[in-house]
Amino acid sequence: MKELRETIHNAKLTKTQKTIAKFVLDNSADACFMTSAAIADRLEVSESSVIRFARSLGYSGFMDFQKSIRREYQDQVYRISSSITVPSQRMAQRNKIGTSASYMKQHFNNIMHNIEEMFSNNSLQSFEEAADIIIGSSQKYIAATRGDSALADYTSLYLKHMLPGVSNINSACMTPIDQLTAIGRDDCLLIFGFPRYSSVDHMTAKMAKDSGARVIVVTDKPSSLLAQYATVLLTVPVDSNNFNNSLVAAQFVAECLLEAVSHKVDGIEQRLKKIDEYLDELGSY
């Protein structure tokens, strides 16, 4: 929905219209098949507000607007709505769509769409601010659960190569809550969380925020469960045409963060040489 996002960005919208715009962008797969009355009912606004929103974007009315977003959606027809979070339900939805011989190409298109949306959603300044928070914090806690844990593992590994005080708080024997008992105003939490949102992630982010720590949230959209706790919010879609989230674009966000940190920190070369000295003895690379 890149074209629609740009149109909305350039439009002068009222507070109610911004609420409608946010819903349409966050739920494009559903919105392009909903009536103006259904959207109004979902958002508890008047139907006339939805129609005025469409006209404010330059369309003759809601039907004209809906035709436009449906055309954009055609390129994403094999993308399952992120509002469907239960894996078995996502699989059932994919079976309804049907299996195409070009499924690998469709998967590639989804990944490219997610990366493009990431660039549209986040400014360079957001990455710079996040990097400055990480570098300036005394303790840096990295958190994620279940399938998102790979992002936390990757990020914490390479942050440890650049900075002291990095802790990956994923553990089999302790919850993140146990490991955040000493978190305070001089510290930060970097947390990855995507649908289905975890109550553990929710409590982790809340605890960090309540303790005065700065919180960097990487999630799928501004309305997600974790966004309310963000000092810096980085959003990236994880849309796919399978039962699982696609984390390729989220991995790219992690790499961008690491890249930003690496340009701001001195002494990395010496740290890497020390690590290599011992890894060389182990024969582990």
Side-chain angles (χ1 to χ4, degrees), residues 131 135 159 162 256-266 268:
I135 295 166
L159 273 182
M162 296 187 283
C256 287
L257 272 175
L258 292 168
E259 178 81 2
V261 170
S262 72
H263 283 276
K264 295 172 176 283
V265 176
D266 295 324
I268 295 176

Side-chain angles (χ1 to χ4, degrees), residues 140-196:
K140 302 93 170 155
Y141 298 94
I142 319 295
T145 53
R146 290 181 57 79
D148 303 332
S149 297
L151 298 169
D153 291 343
Y154 177 90
T155 305
S156 60
L157 170 64
Y158 291 109
L159 273 182
K160 284 176 180 288
H161 288 184
M162 296 187 283
L163 295 167
V166 176
S167 300
N168 186 339
I169 59 175
N170 297 323
S171 171
C173 64
M174 290 184 286
T175 69
I177 308 305
D178 297 313
Q179 302 194 60
L180 288 180
T181 53
I183 194 171
R185 295 183 179 276
D186 295 331
D187 307 320
C188 75
L189 170 71
L190 169 59
I191 186 164
F192 299 88
F194 299 98
R196 288 183 282 176

